[in-house]
Amino acid sequence: MERVISGIRPTGNLHLGNYFGAVKSFVKMQDEYDCMFFIADWHSLTTHPTPENIRKSVKTILSEYLACGIDPEKAPIYVQSDVKQVLELYLYLNMNAYLGELERVTSFKEKVRKQPDNVNAGLLTYPCLMAADILMHKADKVPVGKDQEQNMEMARLFARRFNRIYNVDYFKEPASFYFAHKAVKVPGLDGTGKMGKSEGNCLYLCDDEKTVTKKIMRAVTDQGPTQLNQEKPEVIQNLFTLCELICGKDAAEYYNDLYNNMQIRYGDMKKQMAADANALLAPIRERILAYSSDDALLDRIMRQGAEKAAARAEKTIEEVREIIGFRKV
Ligand code: ADP
Ligand code: TRP
């Protein structure tokens, strides 16, 4: 079975965009591939979080992924910093990564521009750590968004380079696995193109019923169509896209017919969206609460995930040490 690995940045709460755009695909993938998921907490150190930040965000993201249906029996989920073998591979990859190529990575250049006061070495070698995560497990496929393509190219480059330097055929080049082009782009509640944390237009999976209803009822609309079969302005098209995701095709078609006949009442459409969003989110929200209040369970899941990941990682590290010329420890 092909091996899939994905790193999850522990930033904030999951929203509907993350859910329809990524997490739902992960849940499906765990039945089709030999999957592993990990929370990339070492990567998060580039922004200098406090210990409290780290503990809280790891717990949050873990509870939310589990609540969405990631099943640790099918797909181990672990915390990156629990698997220390990754650091050793990171060191070896750093030795074969060149300053010029690391400086040319677009996301690094962006960070230099956005946070000139914190251009740390961890940012520069971010692609080495990511490659270590992936190569460690000999992953065939890595589900990533387009923004990660350059990091994936670096991972492939480091794999090839290692093989060339040591004249071995050891690391395989991991393929990028785009599910994003198949998955829908979830629009924001403010009528803009994309739901995103930084846009402040999100419906979060952990939002309570009242908040969900309030956010949806306030979603941006216009005065309504003034002609039969009128083309929809972007904000309205976005509301319909959200409606189809939340309420399904039939409901979206029903409101589409009303729109075309100039009989649409956005209030009614939103009421149904709010009711259906709450029906979708209520069980997820309940599970988030259940997981996040059960530290012992979370701890057990993290520990079991780390054990499985460390067993694989240890084997890789032993082989890599042998290839490089280090003694067995
Ligand atoms: P945010 O934009 O809120 O910071 P992230 O960049 O952390 O979200 O998203 C993680 C993953 O979730 C992305 O790789 C992408 O696949 C998915 N995703 C995020 N927002 C959306 C969206 N609005 N529509 C579809 N997928 C999304
Ligand atoms: N860089 C990824 C992101 O920003 C997170 C990540 C770290 C990752 N290591 C990984 C993703 C390994 C896939 C595989 O989203």
Side-chain angles (χ1 to χ4, degrees):
M1 205 193 269
E2 278 188 311
R3 205 169 271 184
V4 164
I5 187 149
S6 190
I8 302 156
R9 258 179 302 140
T11 49
N13 295 97
L14 291 181
H15 52 72
L16 218 58
N18 301 133
Y19 179 72
F20 285 119
V23 187
K24 248 184 114 173
S25 312
F26 287 176
V27 172
K28 199 157 156 267
M29 258 179 236
Q30 62 185 354
D31 291 318
E32 298 162 359
Y33 298 94
D34 174 8
C35 281
M36 284 188 129
F37 299 106
F38 69 93
I39 300 173
D41 58 348
W42 271 329
H43 279 106
S44 77
L45 290 183
T46 55
T47 56
H48 302 160
T50 64
E52 199 36 53
N53 279 163
I54 293 189
R55 277 190 276 270
K56 190 158 165 271
S57 56
V58 167
K59 186 172 155 174
T60 301
I61 208 77
L62 181 61
S63 303
E64 294 192 343
Y65 269 82
L66 293 168
C68 289
I70 295 294
D71 176 355
E73 293 298 323
K74 294 181 189 164
I77 180 160
Y78 64 95
V79 179
Q80 187 185 32
S81 62
D82 285 346
V83 183
K84 298 189 182 63
Q85 289 85 350
V86 172
L87 288 182
E88 190 168 339
L89 186 55
Y90 173 51
L91 178 119
Y92 301 145
L93 296 178
N94 273 334
M95 299 299 172
N96 301 334
Y98 297 101
L99 184 59
E101 64 194 3
L102 293 172
E103 281 176 335
R104 277 194 297 276
V105 173
T106 314
S107 48
F108 176 72
K109 288 196 284 195
E110 234 167 65
K111 290 274 156 55
V112 172
R113 203 161 33 79
K114 281 196 194 146
Q115 48 182 73
D117 299 335
N118 181 22
V119 185
N120 58 67
L123 274 179
L124 184 71
T125 60
Y126 188 109
C128 305
L129 184 54
M130 180 155 159
D133 294 325
I134 297 168
L135 300 182
M136 185 60 108
H137 295 293
K138 318 266 177 66
D140 298 286
K141 287 187 167 157
V142 183
V144 283
K146 273 261 177 254
D147 62 322
Q148 295 298 311
E149 184 44 28
Q150 213 176 4
N151 286 334
M152 287 303 302
E153 269 165 28
M154 298 298 275
R156 290 189 278 269
L157 174 70
F158 296 148
R160 277 197 303 276
R161 191 175 284 161
F162 181 94
N163 291 346
R164 188 170 43 74
I165 290 174
Y166 295 104
N167 198 21
V168 288
D169 186 15
Y170 184 69
F171 284 124
K172 63 171 112 176
E173 292 185 40
S176 307
F177 187 0
Y178 296 125
F179 51 91
H181 64 274
K182 273 191 269 159
V184 274
K185 189 171 88 178
V186 183
L189 291 168
D190 55 356
T192 60
K194 188 172 175 265
M195 188 176 285
K197 273 184 277 291
S198 45
E199 326 300 323
N201 59 8
C202 296
L203 205 56
Y204 290 100
L205 301 188
C206 62
D207 278 343
D208 62 29
E209 198 174 330
K210 257 189 166 160
T211 310
V212 169
T213 305
K214 201 164 75 190
K215 283 184 177 176
I216 291 180
M217 295 312 288
R218 281 190 192 157
V220 179
T221 50
D222 63 5
Q223 300 297 316
T226 50
Q227 289 170 35
L228 292 171
N229 301 316
Q230 190 179 315
E231 199 184 322
K232 296 188 189 71
E234 200 187 342
V235 270
I236 301 305
Q237 185 50 53
N238 286 339
L239 189 73
F240 273 82
T241 304
L242 264 179
C243 178
E244 184 169 339
L245 282 167
I246 295 170
C247 310
K249 241 192 164 65
D250 290 350
E253 261 169 37
Y254 169 76
Y255 291 108
N256 194 40
D257 289 343
L258 289 179
Y259 184 90
N260 286 336
N261 295 329
M262 291 168 57
Q263 286 167 338
I264 185 90
R265 284 165 44 175
Y266 294 128
D268 293 344
M269 179 175 168
K270 287 176 176 178
K271 262 188 210 148
Q272 178 167 358
M273 286 170 68
D276 289 0
N278 274 314
L280 169 76
L281 295 179
I284 298 179
R285 189 166 56 225
E286 264 169 44
R287 289 194 295 266
I288 293 175
L289 288 174
Y291 278 116
S292 59
S293 60
D294 193 343
D295 282 341
L297 176 63
L298 291 183
D299 199 53
R300 199 159 64 240
I301 291 170
M302 286 189 273
R303 200 147 10 90
Q304 283 168 355
E307 272 166 24
K308 287 183 191 155
R312 278 187 189 174
E314 189 53 41
K315 184 165 177 290
T316 303
I317 280 299
E318 274 180 20
E319 290 163 354
V320 167
R321 287 180 67 96
E322 162 93 31
I323 290 170
I324 295 180
F326 290 130
R327 275 160 21 97
K328 201 169 164 33
V329 281

